[in-house]
Structures are given as structure tokens and as C-alpha cells.
Amino acid sequence: MDRSYTFEELDAATSLTPEQVKEQRARAEKSTFDYWLKAPAWGATNAATLLELRFAEDGHDDDGVSINVDCLIIGLLRHFQRFGLIDRICRNSDGKLEVPNTKLPPSEWIKCYRDYPGAKPLPFDDPTPAIKATSPGPEKPLKPNERNSLLTIIAALCEHASIKHQDRGAAGRIARMSENIGAAVSEDTVRRVLAQIPDAMASRMK
């Protein structure tokens, strides 16, 4: 029977080629998922750790994850919360993240994870891309009216969130909000987009 390597052993195994290390990592991830998929339910922090970092906290109970880990999975936990899988995220007396009283079948967590921005392929996914009947053409740039519509929507969302897009600091607030959902956008990028809003709104008000 083939031996299952830990990630630490793989990193230290200087005799392995990069291709062998990659192969062994993939096998280790698949072995971990094969084990956890047999569980009838996962806790929220175990689900987030397994899906995002590809290893699981010891045990099936959410006693709180380490502070080093929780900063890496908070975005996914908030994604779960937005989709209604969990009610609240809190910290225990040790300052560790925990999500009380949340146990769901693995399929529920996995289904929600697939909609997470930047979600990675899972070890049991088919790596073969689907064959399309026709090859896609080059990506078309947005038409002016489409761009103005999107910018107007952004302005409406800013208003709803009590953010004045033209104010100093608005770009920083929105950039931090994007980090919280696990899809970070730089402050400079946000600032460039916000700067286009006045012209877009003016064009729609003519």
C-alpha cells in the first residue's frame, strides 16, 4: 500500500522532484477529503479549513481554530454566513474563531464553497475541461451604456452602505470590504473606478 505523506514531509523531501512533490501533495489532499467526506456532518470552521487550506482541525467539534488559521478562513466563513449556512461568527475566551451550533452535511458546505470567489478545484473534481461546441471568441469590451450602468449600480450600493463615493477615504473602505469577502481589490483600483462615477451618472441623467 502506498505511503501517505504529510505536507511537512513533502516539503522536506529534497530527493523528490517538483513533479513528485506535486503528485504527493495531490494524493495527500485527496486522502484527507476521502476521510472527511465519510463524516455525516462538518462544523463550520472545519469546513472552512478543509476547503480553503486543504487540511482539517483535529476532531469534528468547533472548539475554535488557531489564530494563525482563522485569519486565512475568515473570508470563507463570512461567505457561508452571507449564504445563510451560519448565523454568527464569534471568538472564544482565547481569542480564537468559533461558530457555535453549526453542523451541516459536507455537500452543503461544498456547494456553497463552489460559489466562493477564488475557490480552488477540489481533489475529487474532474480536471478535464468540458468540450465546448464552439470556441469562444475574444472577450468584448463593455459598451459605454453597459459601463455606465455598472458604475451607476456601484454608486447606488455606496449610497445604501452610507459611503459617499466622492469622499476621501471611500476607496479605502471599499477595498477593505472586498478583503472581507475574500476577493481583495486594491485601493488604487477602487479609486479609479469611483472617479468614473460622476460622468456615468451624468450621462444617465441627460
Side-chain angles (χ1 to χ4, degrees):
M1 184 175 179
D2 292 336
R3 181 191 172 195
S4 179
Y5 290 82
T6 66
F7 291 152
E8 290 75 13
E9 287 176 314
L10 292 172
D11 288 336
T14 55
S15 61
L16 296 178
T17 65
E19 291 75 16
Q20 289 172 321
V21 170
K22 183 177 179 180
E23 179 183 349
Q24 292 291 351
R25 278 184 176 273
R27 288 172 57 192
E29 284 187 3
K30 187 176 186 305
S31 176
T32 299
F33 271 89
D34 286 346
Y35 171 80
W36 277 86
L37 285 171
K38 296 175 184 177
W42 294 352
T45 53
N46 273 329
T49 308
L50 179 62
L51 292 167
E52 184 69 359
L53 305 180
R54 302 305 160 94
F55 66 87
E57 293 294 306
D58 293 335
H60 293 258
D61 294 325
D62 286 321
D63 295 324
V65 295
S66 69
I67 294 175
N68 288 336
V69 170
D70 67 23
C71 65
L72 301 175
I73 65 170
I74 183 64
L76 182 52
L77 287 175
R78 287 172 175 156
H79 176 75
F80 289 156
Q81 188 177 30
R82 282 192 300 277
F83 278 78
L85 270 63
I86 60 180
D87 293 327
R88 62 193 180 95
I89 305 168
C90 56
R91 293 186 182 274
N92 61 22
S93 58
D94 294 325
K96 298 178 181 179
L97 280 178
E98 61 180 7
V99 182
N101 304 320
T102 303
K103 296 279 187 176
L104 292 172
S107 60
E108 294 294 317
W109 300 115
I110 292 170
K111 181 180 178 181
C112 187
Y113 175 72
R114 292 189 190 281
D115 291 326
Y116 182 57
K120 298 171 286 188
L122 297 171
F124 46 82
D125 285 341
D126 184 359
T128 305
I131 298 176
K132 297 183 179 179
T134 57
S135 299
E139 185 176 347
K140 297 180 180 179
L142 285 175
K143 296 178 181 178
N145 63 323
E146 293 174 330
R147 180 180 63 83
N148 291 340
S149 294
L150 289 174
L151 290 168
T152 303
I153 291 171
I154 293 171
L157 292 172
C158 286
E159 181 72 19
H160 182 73
S162 300
I163 298 175
K164 293 185 178 180
H165 61 82
Q166 68 273 28
D167 284 0
R168 182 182 180 89
R173 288 182 62 187
I174 295 173
R176 288 191 292 274
M177 290 166 66
S178 72
E179 293 175 0
N180 291 339
I181 65 171
V185 179
S186 72
E187 186 173 339
D188 286 342
T189 298
V190 175
R191 187 177 293 108
R192 286 196 297 271
V193 172
L194 295 182
Q196 301 175 55
I197 288 178
D199 289 343
M201 294 184 64
S203 70
R204 294 185 65 86
M205 293 177 180
K206 289 180 181 179

